Amino acid sequence: MEITVIDHPLVASRLTLMRDERSDNAAFRAAAADLGAMLIYEACRDLPVKHFDCVTPVATAEGTRLANPPIIVPVIRAGLGMIDPALSMIPDAQVGFIGLARNEETHEPVPYLEALPQDLSGRAVFIVDPMLATGGSLLHAIRLLCERGATDITAVCMVSAKPGVEALKASGLPVRLITASIDPSLNADAYIVPGLGDAGDRLYGPRNIDL
């Protein structure tokens, strides 16, 4: 499996802001937006392009655009924070959705939403989720994509844990990984160590709140 860890000072600085427990929701979201755009930028590096004549105010230049923009698929809830950064880089991309909750006792994914095109054959798919921990949720989502014919899948994760990366590699599924960091381990609650906490809570606030 192809794994790309982005080694860049700006990536590292935004990841540091996300890791910092002092960053509030607003600071975390801002850093996530920047980091998400950087990772999507890298994920697009080898996408096929079309060339065309572009008329400038002075002459004609060779223009370039994506031949077939990918479909962006966030894993809800935390993955929602990566949609806007992805669309800022690829405004004409389509968006699908996969909703997975985590059973806090078993740490297994519990599906509750699937909104995807019926046929993904021949389509590049970027599945976006800030965290790759055990790999359970991501593997479940990738299998859903494969069932619809996807064979060109890129997982874009801000932080990945080594156990999750190993699970992804062992799956044999047609996926490559773009990430800003591979952290060494998981704790007893299956959170990435050192990680950055619960990405969904840090993006949007705690799930259980009094209104």
Side-chain angles (χ1 to χ4, degrees):
M1 185 182 77
E2 180 184 345
I3 301 171
T4 303
V5 180
I6 309 302
D7 181 14
H8 191 283
L10 295 182
V11 168
S13 70
R14 297 313 189 278
L15 180 57
T16 299
L17 287 170
M18 295 177 69
R19 290 193 193 275
D20 194 332
E21 67 177 1
R22 297 171 298 176
S23 296
D24 61 14
N25 292 125
F28 189 91
R29 280 194 295 267
D34 288 346
L35 181 56
M38 295 174 195
L39 295 179
I40 291 293
Y41 174 92
E42 185 62 34
C44 292
R45 181 174 296 277
D46 296 321
L47 289 180
V49 297
K50 289 181 178 179
H51 297 292
F52 60 96
D53 287 341
C54 174
V55 179
T56 80
V58 179
T60 299
E62 182 180 72
T64 302
R65 60 164 134 345
L66 294 179
N68 188 14
I71 179 169
I72 310 297
V73 180
V75 178
I76 301 172
R77 144 175 101 133
L80 291 174
M82 297 180 70
I83 294 178
D84 285 347
L87 292 178
S88 74
M89 294 287 100
I90 320 169
D92 48 352
Q94 292 183 330
V95 179
F97 298 92
I98 294 175
L100 298 172
R102 185 174 90 150
N103 184 306
E104 295 299 336
E105 294 183 0
T106 66
H107 305 149
E108 293 296 318
V110 180
Y112 63 87
L113 174 66
E114 183 180 341
L116 298 166
Q118 287 298 319
D119 186 6
L120 292 170
S121 303
R123 299 288 304 275
V125 181
F126 289 0
I127 185 163
V128 298
D129 193 350
M131 312 291 284
L132 169 57
T134 65
S137 294
L138 194 61
L139 287 169
H140 184 91
I142 292 169
R143 290 187 181 103
L144 290 177
L145 299 174
C146 291
E147 288 172 5
R148 293 174 182 253
T151 57
D152 181 3
I153 303 170
T154 300
V156 182
C157 302
M158 295 176 176
V159 178
S160 303
K162 189 173 181 180
V165 174
E166 293 301 320
L168 210 60
K169 288 167 63 176
S171 72
L173 294 171
V175 60
R176 66 179 181 131
L177 174 65
I178 304 288
T179 188
S181 176
I182 297 179
D183 286 7
S185 61
L186 302 170
N187 66 14
D189 295 319
Y191 282 91
I192 298 174
V193 179
L196 46 77
D198 186 304
D201 285 358
R202 297 196 68 192
L203 281 164
Y204 304 117
R207 281 166 284 189
N208 299 318
I209 57 175
D210 295 326
L211 299 177

